[in-house]
Amino acid sequence: MNNSIYLRFNDINARLSFNYNRYIQSTIYQCKVYSSKKYSTKIRKPKKPPIPDLNEFQKEVIFGCMLGNLMAERLDSHQNTRLRFIVNNLEKAYINHLYSIFSVYVKTPPKDVIVSIFKLKKGITKEIMFSTLKYEYFNWIEETFYLYIEERDRKLKIVPENARDKLTPVSLAYLIMDSDAYSGINGGISLNTEKFSDKDVLYLMNILETKFNLSCSLINYPYMTNKEEIRHRININKSSLPDLINLVKPYMIPSMLYKLGIST
């Protein structure tokens, strides 16, 4: 065989052998790397579906409760908002009803956790409450119902400007369930509006009179933190009680009908 041809053959054979050996070494290395990885043996649970936005009924309920005792809590504009529902511990059926409406946003069911001391009542009131988790869905509530007052360096609850459009029979029903409501003395319905300024109370009363054609008046009410400070509650007069019952009774739970003066 020609020497030049023989040398070329050996050179090609050496190259093929070298490339093959590199391929084998690379394959062995990759197998070692993959075999060294640790894989979890835990069974993965199916992912929870995303939390839905509030529906229209929930928004109406929130609007009424925010005019009552519901609180929207947000530390600053960079965080989201949570809702805190609080009622007297004798109204467990009502708080459980609210929980059933908003349970998808809640981690812990209602608990007897709050003891409030009111100077005027000179006693202790046990309450039952639950809070939602913090969600972006709730930010509009805090932005709508609270106003920062610079001289007091804090936010105060207000009756929002859009209350005339947003207050519905559903909202009014939940405001009544959140309030002391029926008075056996004058036969009217008392709404717990003493937390609002006089301007806001008059605005809300005007909505009740003009939008729902309800006869209303004001009741003097000493504020809980200062008995010398007189606030006002809205009283829906006895003459409007039949119209009010027709308006809100379909949206009230049976255990709360006594707040309309209805025995069950």
Side-chain angles (χ1 to χ4, degrees), residues 49-238:
I51 300 298
D53 197 352
L54 294 164
N55 60 42
E56 288 305 313
F57 173 72
Q58 290 171 321
K59 291 178 182 179
E60 290 181 78
V61 172
I62 286 172
F63 204 93
C65 290
M66 284 300 297
L67 294 173
N69 298 321
L70 177 59
M71 294 183 290
E73 300 175 341
R74 188 182 190 187
L75 294 179
D76 56 60
S77 60
H78 301 290
Q79 299 192 40
N80 291 325
T81 303
R82 72 175 178 181
L83 304 180
R84 187 184 295 271
F85 294 83
I86 304 176
V87 303
N88 187 285
N89 71 331
L90 299 177
E91 298 177 345
K92 290 186 177 180
Y94 177 48
I95 198 74
N96 288 331
H97 168 71
L98 291 171
Y99 174 72
S100 70
I101 297 174
F102 299 100
S103 59
V104 69
Y105 307 103
V106 181
K107 185 176 182 180
T108 305
K111 289 184 177 181
D112 292 307
V113 294
I114 293 181
V115 177
S116 301
I117 301 176
F118 297 100
K119 294 180 180 179
L120 297 181
K121 294 183 179 180
K122 296 181 180 180
I124 297 176
T125 301
K126 293 183 179 180
E127 297 172 338
I128 184 169
M129 59 152 287
F130 70 88
S131 296
T132 69
L133 299 175
K134 295 179 181 180
Y135 289 104
E136 184 180 1
Y137 301 141
F138 301 148
N139 288 346
W140 67 269
I141 304 167
E142 191 273 339
E143 293 165 358
T144 301
F145 281 92
Y146 291 89
L147 179 67
Y148 178 73
I149 307 299
E150 187 173 356
E151 56 266 26
R152 298 192 182 186
D153 192 28
R154 65 188 181 97
K155 292 183 177 181
L156 296 180
K157 207 175 188 184
I158 63 171
V159 176
E161 293 182 2
N162 64 350
R164 186 175 298 278
D165 297 325
K166 295 298 183 180
L167 187 64
T168 65
V170 171
S171 303
L172 182 55
Y174 281 85
L175 170 57
I176 292 171
M177 288 191 284
D178 250 33
S179 300
D180 289 348
Y182 182 73
S183 171
I185 299 176
N186 60 25
I189 305 295
S190 176
L191 304 179
N192 295 11
T193 56
E194 68 275 6
K195 67 184 74 63
F196 299 116
S197 68
D198 286 348
K199 179 182 177 181
D200 282 349
V201 173
L202 290 172
Y203 175 50
L204 181 57
M205 186 170 75
N206 179 262
I207 295 172
L208 297 174
E209 291 176 331
T210 58
K211 183 173 183 176
F212 300 114
N213 197 29
L214 300 172
S215 173
C216 301
S217 56
L218 294 179
I219 301 174
N220 290 342
Y221 191 84
Y223 199 46
M224 66 175 65
T225 58
N226 182 2
K227 62 182 179 180
E228 295 180 357
E229 181 183 357
I230 300 299
R231 298 289 186 93
H232 293 95
R233 286 186 170 186
I234 295 175
N235 183 69
I236 302 176
N237 297 327
K238 182 179 179 179

